[in-house]
Amino acid sequence: TGGADDDASTSTVEGGTLVYATGDAEPTCLDPHVGGNYPQALISTQYLEPLVGRDADGTILPWLATAWTVSEDGLTWDFTLADDVTFTDGTPFDAEAVAANVAHLQDPDTGSSTGYLAVQKVASVEAVDATHARFHLTEPDSALLESMSQQWTAMQSPAGIERGADANCAEPIGTGPFVVDEWVPQQQVVLVRNEDYVSRDPQAENAGPAHLEEIVWRFIPDAATRYAALRSGEVQVIDNPQPDTIAAAADEGGDITHVDAPRPGSVNRIELNSAQPPFDDVRVREAFVRAADPDPGIETLFAGTTARSFSPLSSVEPTAYADESLFGTDVDAADELLDAAGWTERDADGYRTRDGERLTVRFPVSTNQSVAAEQSLFEQIQANAKVVGFDVVLTPLDLSGWYAALGAHEYEAVSAPYTKVGPDVLRILYHSDGTVPAPSGYFANHAGITDPALDALLDQASASSDEAERADLYAQAQQIVLEGYYVLPLYDQQNHFLTRGVTGMRTLDTVSTPTFLDARLAG
Amino acid sequence: MTGDTVLDIAGLRVGFPRGGEVLHGVDLRVAAGECVAVVGGSGAGKSVLARTLVGLAGEGARADVRADRFTLLGRDATAFTERAWRAARGRDVGLVLQDALGSLDPLRTVGAEVAEALQVRRSLDRATTADRVRAALADAGLDQPEVRARQRSGDLSGGMRQRALIASAVVARPPLLVADEPTTALDATVAARVLDLLARLRDEGTAVVLVTHDLGAVARVADRVVVLRDGVVVEEGLTAALLAAPREEYTRALVDAARLADGPGDVPAAGAPVLTGTGLRRTFPLPGGARVTAVDGVDLTVHAGEAVGLVGESGSGKTTLARMLLAADTPDAGQVLLDGGPWSARPERDRRPARAGVRLVPQDPLGTVDPRLTVRSVLHDALRTAPHPPARADRDAAATALLAAVHLPADVLDRRPRTLSGGQRQRVAIARALASEPRVLLLDEPVSALDVQVQAAVLDLLVELRRTRGVAMVLVSHDLGVVRRVCDRVLVMSGGRVVEEGPVADVLSAPTHAVTRALVAARGI
Amino acid sequence: MRLPWVRWLLGRLVSALLVAWVVATVVFFALRAAGGDPTEAILGGPGSQAGPDAVAQARAQYGLDQPLVVQYLVQIGRVLTLDLGDSYARKVPVADLLLAQLPGTMLLAVLALALAWVLALAVATAAVRARGPVGRACAAALRGVEVVAAVVPHFWLGAVLIVVFSSTLGWFPATSSGTDLAGLVLPTVTLTVPVAGFLGQVMRDSLTEAAAAPFATSARARGASPTRVLWRHTLRHGVLPAVALSGWAFGSLLSGAVVVETLFGRPGLGRLLLDATMQRDVPVVVGAVVVVAVVYVLVMLLVDVVERLLDPRLRAVTDAAPVPRAGEPAVLG
Amino acid sequence: MSVTTAGTRRVGLALRGLGVPGVLAALAVLGMAVAVLRPGLIAPGDPNAIDPRAGFAEPGAAHWFGTDESGRDVWTRVVHGAAASLGIGAAATAIGVGAGLVLGLAAGLGPRWLDAAVSRVLEVLFALPTLVLALLLVAVLGAGVEASVIAVGAATAPGYARMLRARVRSVATSGYVEAARMEGHGPVRVLLRHVLPNTLWPLVSVATLGVGQAVVWVCALSFLGLGTLPPAPEWGAMLNAGRVYIESAWWLTVFPGLAITVTAAALTVLGRRVGQVAA
Ligand SMILES: Nc1ncnc2c1ncn2[C@@H]1O[C@H](COP(=O)(O)OP(=O)(O)OP(=O)(O)O)[C@@H](O)[C@H]1O
Ligand SMILES: Nc1ncnc2c1ncn2[C@@H]1O[C@H](COP(=O)(O)OP(=O)(O)OP(=O)(O)O)[C@@H](O)[C@H]1O
Ligand SMILES: [Mg+2]
Ligand SMILES: [Mg+2]
């Protein structure tokens, strides 16, 4: 749990309004079932609660569901629900509500993507009685609890859902400590305290209603402006701070507190497209990885706020497997590998060629999803790779263009942000199923890995409910991914917060979103 | 007839930080009821003197004014502060600026402009102010003063503006009125009436300083004349005596120039008709749908070697007629023949080869020269259109010869028209027109913008061209003296029609039409 | 007001509507030509993993299965009835979105224009009246400042202002919402500076020219004080070109609003347009662009009216009935 | 009048003729010319040489303008960026002027119906503020440096076209064009010798002003995330990449911004001078 240190010497007050400034895009819908992206998870943490929670060790904790059992064949899950919870519109939280939520996620009209994937293997939800919900699965899913701990599958009032998409988007109704009061597009969402709140949050200190009376959730896209607003006291919490401002805040030793809460699931990485030349040759992939030398850049650009990763999984995932030895920078080795792979000639610009073709690495960069430091790091990798003869072509693209480039396989390297809770993310990212595009054209296996051995490991892990076995299977899978040089792991997916004049902000150990249940303003 | 001394200046020196000293010790005395004319060539410092008299030597810019004596209404003006000057302006001394057309604020009503001199003192109530304004406008000879007071300068003709401006200068009844070239921009008949207005003011007791280069105007109204040359008074005396017997060489030159010779003298006899216009008519649309008839049924024949004068007051259609003769404009009715063949009726493509024979010297030569081109390029272009264009290598020689023909030195070749003086420009325009060896020259007010000396020289040049080359001419002017100097025949236009026509001498000596009589009277011939 | 005026105004309004229509047409087809299936925007942005049913349904719901021409006609019909349709991304009526964002942007632009005028006027009049070596030196220095101000990029200026005045000095908030005054200071100043520099240059030139005009000398010759000459004569001439260019300046303020609203996290038309463009939210882009165009054309119209009020010479064009130029009365007969 | 010797007066007059801003602009333009033609003379290093460990060095003796996040020398990049930035500005202006020229000449010289049609089109395009128009064009063309150059060019074209149309009209109806025709010169010669030169000459000054403005517009698009990524040393890209570090490394924002501003200002002053000569 990342948490703002409660400084005993600072006095705090009950009530008051906290202003949170987010740099993430403004959601187009406040219901995280619809679509399902990180900004929605961030804000919905304040008003929606999931079935289960998760702690830093990856242990699943009870939340709205107090207990659960899984059948021997892994196809039937029984959840026991808390019996004293009502949604803020007065609708009771019961098994029917859970069924309605899963149905909502699975309804094509909802347009869910993240949540839809999470409950993909759920055939139906049976309301056994008011406090017992039974999930029937089409195949075993060891990641079900992790999936249900995510904000994208959080519980909403069935009556609220009934109102239709428009109303539910504007004002989703949940069981959380705050209630959506008003949404002024492009400006802010006003959240007011749920006075009747009784905490089920397994990690909360506070059992009753929140201390804060109101949260104003503001959208300020510019990082410098956000930081300025924090410093001038207009806002108390900002997300996505620039690394240099994090470091500066720490150095100054002022009243700004840094919260580092890396996202779970996958690490931030560059995926190399092994489905087409030149990266269909592992030697070329290794050469690239050996030449990239991102370490000094990560140090400088991130001002010490993050560490280099050598694993496909985030450092907060207990099952993460790392192998640093594979990634040592070695320019000579890279040159030899490329020579061996037949890229022996060099053209006038110093790039390698083979049969007159240049060793080009097209690298589309999504400007919406990539922060400045990361883009700078890519430039450094570009410069480093040039030394051994790679022509890395960085192309900044807006989201549409970026997806279009991926869909058309017009890339050799890419950095995609997809993640989910738990090691099951490996299956999404590296299973050969992930190379088949969804109807929308999207596919998650950007590295283009089609390795039957890997597929088998991932399928097995997904079906197994034995923790030790799972861990072992995932470790083997990660080893294959790393040793195949399909990815260049960089660092954890960054998720930082700076707070000032507020105590008690925590981040959940599911998708690292902050909750303000325990937060208090400084007096 | 003269009263107390209103203005007494001795040893006035005026200099500018950028441009040095302009007036080098000028003496000037004016008494009430007296009109003193300040004459001199262009750049003599007349306007600077006029502005100095109201304490605005530099037009708001810095100027260095020193005088041995400078008394205004008995007070020492050398000691005036800016505030004292401000109090004196309008009340003690009124100024009519040289640029009449731009001297009234185009955004304000004439009434507001005239009233300003009264308002700055804040001594009068509105009604009285309005009365005084109306009276001043009426005094200045404007009809319907109430209407005029509500109009803006853009709605008035040049002569009306000039009179409104005089009204604004005299509305506070200053004992001294300084008028800088009040008649330059006006045609002869209107100018005559403005001069009459000044004479009346003088007779009513106002001291008038009339700055002008028009000796005709001087003769009409001035009691005394001060001749200024390069910032120095070279001669001074009573008008009649000075004009009759100028002592100084400079003055004599001025007087001689103003007294244009009588007729072109010995010129080749007229030949066959070259340009013939019959039943020419031209109308222009007005905004709103109405049409104005600029030229209304005019017949005109120009014979080879003949010079025809075209006179008439402003707006009578002279320019329009000249443009139709040039075939720059197509008549609505009637047609123009060149050498008996169709001219106006032909398409431009067919006309082009014959254009060399008919040339126009425009009223405003500057506007008809591409500002980017040097005189050399302008003349080269013109030479290319000659019937026998000189070879490329000979063009410079030909251009130099053209300049010589208009008495300009060869070093003018590399200058742009903008940097030439008015007289030089006019001569370049004539040289340009001569380049194609035309048989007919159409001259639209070729000298009205020039000072007397330059004017005389240009007219001499025209006569010389008639004599040496036998060029036929149509000379448009509102000045009968100019026509008499150059032309054999004259047509008098009014309202688009020819109202009188005949040999110059006959028309001038015995004008039959009222317009002609007014023109003759205005010129004072 | 006389009838010709009304007719002139009506004519201008009609042509404003025409402009709006053409703008809507151009934008519609341009965006559709730009690629990127609008269904994406409807279903939660690019990369959304909607199934084929959802896609088909969304297409039907938003009429995207119709031929492009029909879609266009529907869109135009909506624009005409002022119902601009629903936003693809936000699923709310575009008209509501625009209406909510318009006042903030207008407030910002109008404030900035007003401030720019005040600054430009102050600088220009001070420069024209500057006397003495020190005054002249200051005027010359100000000229340099104007030139620099006129070209300084909004986004740079805004970023520097935020760091200096908000982050470091803490005098003004870096962000602003709606109408809170303190929050308006920095965005307004950011928008104002370039326009003020531009207007200042124009005004100073025309004022200087007017001050040297014969009518100004004439006024001085009547005993008018410098103040009177300035206020009664030269100022009107001096501001005329600036008035004429204010419409253009307003346009550049709307351009600037796109940047400034993003920078200061202010809600507004500019930011809405930017976001919608990125999201290919066609109804919002069309709506926003039409609104911007109409506002701009109306501002231009307003500028024309003000210009005509200030400069009677222009009214002749407006008045259908000709004002006959009073000529000299015929000499005689 | 104060007494001064003729010599100092002449120098004084010459300087006053140019004015302090003129002198400064001339110096700045001189500097820019060197930076464009011979960047190595004043900044010998490689603008793209990275040294991540030396990132974020403050301005000092070693690095006059400091280093950026990848340890590249900002001074070197600013100097070497002149060619790219001015190139972008010039390219956008060339597009704008070129399109404006075609439209303006078509409207100014073509038949009445063409004038009417083009004028309507211009009115529509003019009804959209420059950045809004550029934004739409980028949406159509996709982000990137070429797209933003084209977008800015196209967005500025209506302004040029309007100006040119008015100019063509006034030149075509001017006294000197009529005089040339009355002198018997053919329409083609009149067009080439008088109409075009007199129409285009003032354009030199306007285009000079335009280059500065175009640089700013292109940078604005970059700021909105529609322009370009480094590492190509281009001021707008540098500024936008550096701006996020403004709290800790002000030099990354200030120097490229200054370069843009100084360039635009110097070109403005220069453009006005040229305009005065042209008038
Ligand atoms: N403000 C000024 N600064 C510098 N020089 C000036 C200024 N005003 C006039 N001069 C110079 O003083 C000289 C006399 O000018 P002025 O206008 O008095 O001539 P003028 O006799 O009125 O000529 P014109 O008949 O052409 O009107 C000219 O050389 C002119 O350039
Ligand atoms: N292009 C035009 N459009 C409208 N009206 C015109 C045009 N040209 C001339 N006029 C009108 O035709 C009449 C005659 O004008 P014209 O220029 O021929 O007079 P003018 O005798 O040359 O006068 P001036 O002595 O003032 O030069 C005037 O009423 C004038 O307003
Ligand atoms: Mg004069
Ligand atoms: Mg005329």
Side-chain angles (χ1 to χ4, degrees), chain C residues 205-219:
Chain C
D205 286 353
S206 52
L207 256 182
T208 313
E209 193 180 306
F215 62 79
T217 309
S218 281

Side-chain angles (χ1 to χ4, degrees), chain A residues 222-224 227-228 231 242-245 248 293 296-297 299-301 365 367 372-373 375-376 379-380 382-384 394-396 398, chain D residues 48 50 52-56 68-72 77 142-144 223 225-231 241 243-249:
Chain A
D222 194 79
Y227 183 65
R231 288 191 61 182
Q242 271 293 121
D244 61 320
T245 57
D293 191 24
E299 247 164 66
T300 316
L301 291 168
V365 178
T367 48
Q375 294 177 24
S376 300
E379 283 162 31
Q380 296 180 9
Q382 177 185 42
N384 292 333
L394 288 171
T395 315
D398 69 1
Chain D
N48 286 328
I50 65 161
R53 280 176 226 284
F56 298 118
D68 71 3
E69 70 278 7
S70 295
R72 293 172 290 219
R77 287 172 67 72
F223 165 77
L226 300 167
T228 160
L229 266 185
R243 208 183 57 80
V244 296
Y245 302 106
I246 190 168
E247 286 285 349
S248 58

